[in-house]
Amino acid sequence: MNFQQRTFQMLLRDERETDNMNLYALSIFVAFIIYMYLGLYAFIMDTRSRLNRIFLCFCLAMALWAFCITFSVAATDKESAEFWHKLSSPGWCLVSGVVLHFALILTGKNHILNKRWIYPLIYLPGTIFTYRSVTSLLMTSDFIMKNYGWDMVDPGRSIWSTAFTVYYMGYLVFSVVMITRWGKHSTINREKKQDRIITTSLVIGIIAVFIDQTLLPAMGSSTVPRIPSLIGLIWAPGMWYAISKYRQLEIAPTIATDEIISNIMDLLFLVSPRGKIARVNRRVAELLGYKEEELVDRPVTMLFLEKNIVEEKILKMYAGPHSRFCCEMHCKTSAGVNIPINISATLIKDREGDVVGFVIVAQDLRQTRQLQMEIDERKKVEEELLQSYEKLKELDKLKTDFLSTVSHELRTPLTSILGFAKIISKRFDEVILPRIECADKKADKAARQVKENIHIIIAESKRLTALINNVLDIAKMDAGKIEWKMELIQPAECIERAIAATLPLFEQKKLKLVKDIQEGLPEISGDMNRLIQVIINLISNAVKFTAQGTVTCMARSKGMELTVSVIDTGTGITAGEQDVVFEKFKQVGDTLTDKPQGTGLGLSICKQIVEHHGGRIWVESEPGKGSKFSFTLPVNAEI
């Protein structure tokens, strides 16, 4: 091979190496343009977003790295290559800290970012490594020329290079783990998708860097260039996709505005200064039956039945001092149905005060009017019920007054009847009956019949007296005129007196009385006579409804409450009758066959007496197994 051929080959090789170097430098410069575009794109979307600002910082760091390495690769001498490499140090030394900062913002660790110590932890290591790289090469010991341009010489293992690798990869791995955990535990589908996009692209970038800068050099490959900022070149487009796919990584005002306009439950129209519809929300299509494209650039007045009124009010709004108006009118649907609405129109002005349009918010009044009609109807019913209640109260008062008056009028002659009947009975037994016994049998039989009739008169008079007393008691209680003699009393004494008063009832029906009274019962405050009346009434009822067996009177004290119970083995009470047994004039049993005599006022009186003392009364019963009437009284309560 002659000199000319060798010279031609050398020139051809130099030309190929120059082309390779220019192509490699151009590819890195394209990466610089990509970084700048993506960072500015995210920043312009929302300049107030912390996440978008930190993403811009990431892109600027990567862009600085790519920009400087472009000139380092294509440098004419070693000194220039080293200068541009040092100038790129802030980019590749600080980028992992920026990624960690990004991960903290993305995952919502605001409580950590509010701590002052976190920022030195994020950026101080990168700053130290930057200083080391600028003053003394950090990740290279020299530069050599290869077929694609100037490249770094592996410095081998050193304390600084090892520390930088641990810092660089540690921050990146920690960021990936943080973002992955955030997406895994998030309940928002958008955040889960963002996590997958960001994490996947970042992992791919880390793997690519490992292959390019660790695996291939370890395998002895020297022809493949170590691509600078490779991790960012893969990760940044992934982030860009996450941004463009989901509009924004954080809630931006534009997104919030779109969502509010679309989902507001009222009709919303954005109107141009000329009165043409610029935009409507979803509710317009649902209620009026128009699609948005059918309304855009159409006069807004076309939708209202009172077209002239709307035009007049809009003109006044433009010309007058007031920038809004409200009124009720009717809106027309696509099917020709008129809907009553309440509209509110407000001018929209720019920062200079010029009108750029107005917004109309309309509320469907059909449901409101329906509710108003229901409210009016309900008020009318309530007024009628109130009037009926007042009438019932008046009738109840008249009834109470009548019962009270009649009872008083009846009690006076009844007292005389009972008194004279007792006198007649006594005289008859002492004077007349002994003399008639000597006469004939017919006279003796008539005398005994008279004696039985007198006893019946006395018994019925007593029963009628008790009935009248009950009626008077209930009338006084309803009127609040009863007199209460409150004092400290011993519950055991009260129960004993009630039992003593009812012993004849047990003898007549041959029932067994069981006393189960706890010793040392505490004192209570109450009207002894009224409480004795309650216990007598409960015992009398128990005897009345018990044909055989026992009646138990039990008293227990627990805490600040005394409980008295009367338990029988009688007929029992059904669940339906238990609900009404304490009401006035209510009695249990069959109304035609086995209903006992009385007024049905006894338990009602008991209930009022017990409740006046601050207690409560109830019944537990099962048909055929007896009943248990209980009432409670507060211990040492002052009424």
Side-chain angles (χ1 to χ4, degrees), residues 572-590:
I573 305 172
T574 64
E577 291 174 331
Q578 291 177 33
D579 296 334
V580 299
V581 73
F582 292 102
E583 295 181 10
K584 299 174 186 176
F585 306 105
K586 295 289 185 179
Q587 288 183 298
V588 298
D590 191 280

Side-chain angles (χ1 to χ4, degrees), residues 168-224:
Y168 185 85
M169 296 303 297
Y171 274 35
L172 289 180
V173 171
F174 184 77
S175 301
V176 172
V177 172
M178 187 187 306
I179 295 173
T180 302
R181 287 175 59 85
W182 165 75
K184 180 180 178 181
H185 294 93
S186 176
T187 58
I188 303 175
N189 191 45
R190 174 177 61 86
E191 292 181 352
K192 290 183 177 293
K193 292 181 179 179
Q194 288 174 344
D195 161 49
R196 287 195 289 269
I197 295 171
I198 296 170
T199 304
T200 301
S201 58
L202 189 56
V203 170
I204 293 174
I206 292 174
I207 294 173
V209 169
F210 173 76
I211 294 173
D212 179 66
Q213 300 189 13
T214 303
L215 186 61
L216 292 179
M219 295 173 63
S221 175
S222 60
T223 58
V224 179

Side-chain angles (χ1 to χ4, degrees), residues 150-417:
W150 291 99
D151 196 5
M152 299 183 296
V153 175
D154 190 351
R157 291 186 178 181
S158 66
I159 295 177
W160 283 100
S161 62
T162 302
F164 176 79
T165 302
V166 172
Y167 149 76
Y168 185 85
M169 296 303 297
Y171 274 35
L172 289 180
V173 171
F174 184 77
S175 301
V176 172
V177 172
M178 187 187 306
I179 295 173
T180 302
R181 287 175 59 85
W182 165 75
K184 180 180 178 181
H185 294 93
S186 176
T187 58
I188 303 175
N189 191 45
R190 174 177 61 86
E191 292 181 352
K192 290 183 177 293
K193 292 181 179 179
Q194 288 174 344
D195 161 49
R196 287 195 289 269
I197 295 171
I198 296 170
T199 304
T200 301
S201 58
L202 189 56
V203 170
I204 293 174
I206 292 174
I207 294 173
V209 169
F210 173 76
I211 294 173
D212 179 66
Q213 300 189 13
T214 303
L215 186 61
L216 292 179
M219 295 173 63
S221 175
S222 60
T223 58
V224 179
R226 289 187 292 180
I227 304 174
S229 68
L230 179 59
I231 185 172
L233 193 61
I234 297 175
W235 183 83
M239 179 58 66
W240 176 86
Y241 178 75
I243 294 174
S244 60
K245 176 72 174 178
Y246 300 104
R247 295 290 303 277
Q248 198 64 295
L249 293 177
E250 292 181 336
I251 297 178
T254 53
I255 294 179
T257 303
D258 288 344
E259 289 299 315
I260 291 172
I261 290 176
S262 298
N263 296 298
I264 191 171
M265 294 306 296
D266 296 330
L267 306 176
L268 189 141
F269 305 87
L270 296 179
V271 187
S272 67
R274 296 184 178 181
K276 300 293 184 65
I277 298 174
R279 184 176 178 182
V280 298
N281 68 341
R282 189 181 305 159
R283 182 61 175 164
V284 172
E286 295 174 354
L287 188 62
L288 303 184
Y290 292 103
K291 296 182 179 179
E292 184 171 3
E293 53 268 23
E294 296 176 341
L295 296 176
V296 173
D297 291 333
R298 300 287 299 277
V300 70
T301 54
M302 64 171 280
L303 296 173
F304 302 105
L305 189 64
E306 300 85 350
K307 179 178 179 180
N308 296 332
I309 297 176
V310 176
E311 290 179 347
E312 180 182 350
K313 288 186 175 292
I314 291 175
L315 291 176
K316 287 183 177 180
M317 184 175 62
Y318 275 106
H322 302 292
S323 60
R324 59 174 301 179
F325 73 86
C326 299
C327 63
E328 291 186 9
M329 53 185 58
H330 293 80
C331 196
K332 297 185 294 185
T333 67
S334 60
V337 178
N338 296 328
I339 299 176
I341 59 171
N342 180 48
I343 70 169
S344 175
T346 305
L347 289 178
I348 303 175
K349 299 181 181 180
D350 58 17
R351 294 180 179 179
E352 287 73 28
D354 296 329
V355 176
V356 295
F358 58 95
V359 60
I360 294 179
V361 178
Q363 297 175 332
D364 185 0
L365 295 179
R366 289 179 298 179
Q367 187 175 8
T368 303
R369 291 184 176 179
Q370 179 65 29
L371 289 174
Q372 187 61 48
M373 290 175 60
E374 293 178 2
I375 291 172
D376 293 340
E377 184 65 26
R378 182 170 297 178
K379 285 183 177 179
K380 183 179 178 181
V381 172
E382 288 177 355
E383 290 176 357
E384 293 176 353
L385 290 174
L386 185 59
Q387 293 175 1
S388 300
Y389 175 70
E390 293 298 331
K391 291 180 179 178
L392 288 174
K393 282 180 64 178
E394 185 178 353
L395 291 173
D396 187 63
K397 186 176 181 302
L398 291 173
K399 177 210 70 175
T400 303
D401 293 342
F402 171 76
L403 289 175
S404 179
T405 302
V406 171
S407 299
H408 276 291
E409 293 297 327
L410 288 175
R411 188 157 62 172
T412 300
L414 185 60
T415 303
S416 300
I417 293 172

Side-chain angles (χ1 to χ4, degrees), residues 491-503 506 512-519 521 531-532 534-540 542-543 549-556 562-569 627-631:
E493 180 185 354
C494 187
I495 296 172
E496 290 290 350
R497 289 178 59 178
I499 290 175
T502 55
L503 281 177
F506 289 92
K512 181 181 179 182
L513 172 64
V514 178
K515 290 190 294 184
D516 184 8
I517 302 173
Q518 179 182 333
E519 294 184 1
L521 292 175
L531 293 177
I532 291 174
V534 171
I535 301 173
I536 289 176
N537 203 314
L538 295 180
I539 294 175
S540 300
V543 173
T550 61
V551 174
T552 303
C553 188
M554 183 172 62
R556 293 288 186 272
L562 172 72
T563 303
V564 179
S565 301
V566 176
I567 309 166
D568 65 62
T569 57
S627 304
K628 179 181 179 181
F629 282 84
S630 304
F631 67 92

